[in-house]
Amino acid sequence: MLRASRLLTLLVFALVVRLTAAYQDVELVPGRRYQASEVKPVHSLVRKYMRYSTAASSFVDIDSGWTSCGLACNSPDVHDVVLNLTWHVDIPLSDGLIGIHIRDKEIVVAWAGTHRYRALLTDMSVVTAPYMGTEGNVHSGFLESVRGAAKVVETHLRKLMIDYPDYMVVFTGHSKGGAEAALSALDLVRRIDGLRQRVRIWTFGEPRLGDTHFANVYNKELGAVTYRVTSAADP
């Protein structure tokens, strides 16, 4: 969901969603904001996806594997993921990874947060840009970052979805990476057949991505499968 919140820590769910088969099903009341203490069954999921987001922000390199990102990747959850792609684009600035979690049957697409000084310029780009095919407008910096890696991400994701037809596809990221995870997921469900039925989006400290018109479009298409984790200090 694309709404800010003042609760301590919460998850926003638009609809009751069944999670991947590797985990216990979690059923929540549609549209309700949950404090962390109320949703303990999903704590392990939150930690896992947060670790993926952290790894994406730590300059992980596919040639060196998880040893390239130090303590940020020192977790069994991370080491269980087989890297398929890492990208580091300078113009427009964009970093992230795609990996396969065999045990949990997930394809993971993780976008890096504000981990380079130049990423601050992306965050501070307050000019909006129209989002294709809608009346909505989005943060131009996030849009440019997503489009900078769009082709390579789409190419790899299409192949992996064929190779692993029963795997869920999880987009995740922290802060700037959370916004880009949500925006890239919306872009790709419009271009890749079958992705809409397999996608989940988990974001952490995600800033506001677009205006009310865009939020309505996003919530209609992906609100039911978006999990936004925020804290009281988030805007």
Side-chain angles (χ1 to χ4, degrees), residues 5 22 51 53 56 59 73 92 114 121 124 127 132 154 159 168 175 177 185 194-196 206 210:
S5 171
R51 285 165 181 156
S53 301
F59 286 104
C73 300
T114 309
L121 299 177
M124 293 186 294
V127 176
M132 57 181 183
E154 180 178 353
K159 184 177 186 305
M168 299 299 293
S175 186
L195 177 58
R196 190 182 304 273
E206 175 197 342

Side-chain angles (χ1 to χ4, degrees), residues 18-209:
R18 290 191 175 275
L19 302 181
T20 57
Y23 294 95
Q24 175 185 352
D25 286 340
V26 179
E27 294 189 358
L28 300 172
V29 177
R32 177 182 169 187
R33 294 171 173 81
Y34 288 85
Q35 293 191 18
S37 59
E38 298 179 272
V39 287
K40 289 184 179 180
V42 301
H43 284 192
S44 61
L45 286 175
V46 170
R47 285 193 295 268
K48 182 176 74 166
Y49 296 130
M50 186 67 218
R51 285 165 181 156
Y52 296 160
S53 301
T54 302
S57 300
S58 303
F59 286 104
V60 61
D61 178 74
I62 194 165
D63 293 328
S64 302
W66 297 121
T67 60
S68 62
C69 51
L71 292 176
C73 300
N74 189 21
S75 163
D77 285 330
V78 172
H79 284 276
D80 284 343
V81 173
V82 179
L83 285 172
N84 176 265
L85 168 72
T86 58
W87 71 87
H88 305 288
V89 180
D90 288 327
I91 301 175
L93 191 66
S94 178
D95 301 272
L97 64 89
I98 297 179
I100 307 298
H101 198 302
I102 303 296
R103 184 194 67 203
D104 294 344
K105 293 188 174 182
E106 292 175 339
I107 300 169
V108 179
V109 183
W111 291 79
T114 309
H115 65 300
R116 298 203 234 175
Y117 290 121
R118 283 184 51 231
L120 292 171
L121 299 177
T122 300
D123 292 351
M124 293 186 294
S125 178
V126 296
V127 176
T128 59
Y131 187 71
M132 57 181 183
T134 75
E135 297 180 358
N137 294 286
V138 298
H139 187 291
S140 61
F142 299 149
L143 182 63
E144 288 179 2
S145 291
V146 168
R147 299 291 164 80
K151 288 185 179 180
V152 66
V153 172
E154 180 178 353
T155 298
H156 280 256
L157 187 54
R158 283 182 180 276
K159 184 177 186 305
L160 289 174
M161 288 179 63
I162 294 172
D163 292 343
Y164 301 91
D166 59 339
Y167 280 33
M168 299 299 293
V169 181
V170 179
F171 288 77
T172 189
H174 171 260
S175 186
K176 166 182 173 287
E180 292 167 4
L183 187 56
S184 65
L186 183 60
D187 273 0
L188 290 172
V189 296
R190 294 176 161 206
R191 297 205 296 269
I192 301 178
D193 291 340
L195 177 58
R196 190 182 304 273
Q197 292 73 34
R198 297 167 59 179
V199 72
R200 299 287 186 270
I201 301 96
W202 284 81
T203 69
F204 302 88
E206 175 197 342
R208 186 167 295 182
L209 181 52

